[in-house]
Amino acid sequence: MEYRIEHDSMGEVKVPADKLWGAQTQRSHENFEIGVGIETMPAEIIHAFGILKKAAAMANNELKKDKMTDEKLDAISKACDEIIEGKLNDNFPLVVWQTGSGTQSNMNANEVIANRGNEIAGKKLLHPNDDVNQSQSSNDTFPTAMHIAAILMLEDKLIPAAETLIETFKKLEKENEGIVKSGRTHLQDATPITFSQEISGWRSSLERDVELIKLSMKPLYELALGGTAVGTGLNAPKAFGETVAKKVSDLTGKPFVTAINKFHALTSKDELVFAHGAIKALAADMLKIANDVRWLASGPRDGLGEIFIPENEPGSSIMPGKVNPTQCEAVTMVAVQVMGNDVAVGIAASQGNFELNVFMPVCIYNFLQSARLLSEAILSFNKNCAVGIKANKEKMHHNLHNSLMLVTALNPYIGYENAAKTAKKAFKDNISLKEACVELGFLTEEKFDEVFHPEQMV
């Protein structure tokens, strides 16, 4: 491998000749061999750095043109556009498990933009610190990248995924109107419900989760950029925070604003904790829905068997013909991962000491993993399972009329205690509710038939 010599304030460093990063990136790459090639800084953060570095250059060009000339802005902007487009991703090798401020990832961006910008300009025009990092600090750029990445992930990926499944459930509701089945509470038989009502519960849960996620996004639109090292804005021009937030908003089409209190923005991660809580709520509902689906589809002969789901792949290496609810299992595993990530995000957010939180990479790594996995799991579940759900009407009808809890309809006519006696006798003697009620003398056959209509109990 060929190398070139780069230098920083600590001296010279050998860097692979075909890479755009510089000395500080190389030092971090060598000093933190933890999860190399596997747990690298998320691509969403790199994308966000491209946006914020371009926005910062635009703001500097507007506020102090003598320092950020049009020529420098042009070179930085073009390099940032390539980062935003993902063209330079192989120049960001650093792992999550680095400095807790994300300083080396900020410098990774600075160095790549400076070196690529110089290539574009055809001369030594840009310095990573003096130009690309102008009016900034790692302490305000990394939390800014976190918020940008979080908003883009939630608004452009997770919410649309949930809304896709919501639309599928709406369609299933219409298709299954009027089909009455047994309800279940405590995993025991309960009073009747229509299948469309059951599906509406799933749909409404997801709609509420989307509402909660949207509510949690409002604080994430606030950006720390402009606080620099400790929140005072040292070395940044007046109105830099407001100006750069407007530029980020223009570049993304999202309503980003500058954080009201930069001291809070640098040290507290409560906005991410709150938003991840909403993600966890969605994961909890998805786990519930996936479990409902696999319970209802259990069988094919010895389970509930009230619905059919798509058969996607063989389910056993030893039992021929076995097919398993694999999409449901994938969703539940992702939900478990999200719940574990929620603990990590919360603990990371608690580690703000004085003017800075130094658990930021692990915080955003888990946040983005949760949103990414959950959105992809929802889309997979929708495509490979939910759209193919079919009611087993015969089994639903059988289970409904075999349920002892239909006796609840008799409460107004024979009272709670007599209804309980009827249900227990029917279960003990393995006879119908009608037979039990008549044998106990509570109702005549004619009166029973007059008042007992399971399909009207919904």
Side-chain angles (χ1 to χ4, degrees):
M1 180 181 290
E2 294 184 4
Y3 294 89
R4 70 176 188 277
I5 301 299
E6 290 272 356
H7 76 276
D8 58 14
S9 60
M10 295 181 70
E12 294 184 341
V13 180
K14 288 171 61 178
V15 175
D18 63 336
K19 299 302 181 184
L20 291 169
W21 67 70
Q24 291 200 42
T25 301
Q26 186 63 31
R27 292 186 193 280
S28 180
H29 192 38
E30 294 174 0
N31 291 337
F32 297 96
E33 295 183 342
I34 311 169
V36 175
I38 301 173
E39 291 164 319
T40 53
M41 193 59 65
E44 295 86 359
I45 289 293
I46 307 307
H47 179 84
F49 263 112
I51 293 169
L52 78 87
K53 291 295 179 181
K54 181 176 181 177
M58 294 167 69
N60 281 320
N61 177 257
E62 184 175 311
L63 298 172
K64 46 180 185 179
K65 209 171 185 105
D66 58 320
K67 294 289 186 181
M68 180 58 66
T69 64
D70 290 346
E71 183 182 25
K72 288 182 177 180
L73 172 61
D74 182 66
I76 290 174
S77 295
K78 288 177 178 176
C80 287
D81 286 342
E82 292 185 5
I83 291 174
I84 293 168
E85 293 167 12
K87 294 180 178 179
L88 304 181
N89 281 355
D90 61 351
N91 287 281
F92 293 88
L94 301 188
V95 295
V96 172
W97 320 108
Q98 53 164 284
T99 171
S101 62
T103 297
Q104 290 351 113
S105 281
N106 178 50
M107 282 307 304
N108 190 177
N110 292 333
E111 291 172 345
V112 169
I113 294 167
N115 285 334
R116 179 60 185 137
N118 289 337
E119 286 182 353
I120 293 170
K123 61 181 180 181
K124 189 77 171 179
L125 176 67
L126 303 173
H127 186 280
N129 297 80
D130 296 336
D131 297 309
V132 185
N133 201 58
Q134 190 177 133
S135 306
Q136 305 152 63
S137 163
S138 299
N139 296 354
D140 65 350
T141 59
F142 200 87
T144 295
M146 292 169 74
H147 278 210
I148 293 172
I151 284 293
L152 295 179
M153 177 65 80
L154 295 177
E155 196 166 301
D156 297 345
K157 192 164 186 177
L158 184 57
I159 290 175
E163 289 176 338
T164 298
L165 184 54
I166 287 169
E167 290 304 311
T168 294
F169 285 151
K170 286 180 179 178
K171 184 172 180 289
L172 288 172
E173 281 180 67
K174 291 182 179 179
E175 290 176 357
N176 292 281
E177 285 180 355
I179 300 175
V180 182
K181 62 184 291 293
S182 178
R184 294 180 179 86
T185 57
H186 302 270
L187 295 182
Q188 305 294 309
D189 302 343
T191 54
I193 187 174
T194 67
F195 189 33
S196 60
Q197 287 173 332
E198 190 165 43
I199 297 169
S200 77
W202 301 342
R203 185 253 310 156
S204 185
S205 294
L206 297 185
E207 288 174 335
R208 178 52 54 86
D209 291 327
V210 169
E211 289 177 15
L212 295 175
I213 291 171
K214 288 180 177 178
L215 285 172
S216 77
M217 287 167 57
K218 184 178 178 181
L220 289 173
Y221 287 117
E222 294 190 14
L223 303 180
L225 215 55
T228 66
V230 295
T232 61
L234 180 67
N235 289 350
K238 187 178 180 181
F240 180 75
E242 292 79 3
T243 304
V244 75
K246 177 64 168 59
K247 302 300 182 186
V248 172
S249 182
D250 291 342
L251 290 172
T252 60
K254 313 294 184 186
F256 288 105
V257 295
T258 193
I260 298 171
N261 188 305
K262 301 298 190 298
F263 307 104
H264 162 82
L266 267 60
T267 195
S268 176
K269 303 296 135 213
D270 52 9
E271 297 91 350
L272 287 158
V273 173
F274 184 53
H276 196 277
I279 296 174
K280 184 176 70 170
L282 174 57
D285 279 328
M286 282 304 303
L287 193 151
K288 187 269 184 196
I289 292 167
N291 274 336
D292 281 358
V293 169
R294 63 175 171 177
W295 272 108
L296 290 172
S298 61
R301 291 186 173 177
D302 296 334
L304 295 179
E306 291 191 344
I307 63 173
F308 302 108
I309 59 175
E311 298 182 350
N312 298 318
E313 62 271 320
S316 174
S317 61
I318 189 174
M319 293 176 281
K322 194 173 193 298
V323 179
N324 297 327
T326 53
Q327 289 294 320
C328 299
E329 291 164 5
V331 168
T332 56
M333 287 191 290
V334 166
V336 167
Q337 184 65 53
V338 171
M339 293 171 188
N341 286 351
D342 193 66
V343 176
V345 170
I347 294 175
S350 74
Q351 299 305 302
N353 301 125
F354 302 114
E355 279 66 60
L356 185 67
N357 179 287
V358 290
F359 280 61
M360 288 192 287
V362 70
C363 181
I364 195 61
Y365 174 73
N366 282 278
F367 184 100
L368 292 174
Q369 185 193 57
S370 289
R372 186 189 315 112
L373 287 178
L374 192 53
S375 62
E376 292 172 357
I378 290 172
L379 289 176
S380 179
F381 176 78
N382 179 73
K383 176 184 176 182
N384 299 303
C385 182
V387 296
I389 290 175
K390 303 292 182 185
N392 185 343
K393 298 178 184 179
E394 293 75 16
K395 191 63 180 290
M396 287 182 176
H397 183 270
H398 169 78
N399 289 344
L400 171 67
H401 286 269
N402 198 44
S403 172
L404 296 176
M405 288 306 100
L406 296 180
V407 76
T408 306
L410 302 178
N411 283 1
Y413 305 98
I414 64 176
Y416 181 92
E417 291 190 8
N418 286 340
K421 291 177 183 177
T422 299
K424 290 179 180 179
K425 180 175 179 58
F427 180 66
K428 180 182 177 183
D429 297 347
N430 195 26
I431 58 176
S432 68
L433 288 172
K434 180 179 180 179
E435 291 171 319
C437 188
V438 172
E439 284 187 23
L440 289 170
F442 297 144
L443 291 175
T444 64
E445 289 187 22
E446 293 75 21
K447 185 63 176 178
F448 185 93
D449 291 337
E450 178 185 333
V451 302
F452 189 75
H453 300 287
E455 283 74 12
Q456 297 176 12
M457 295 174 66
V458 296

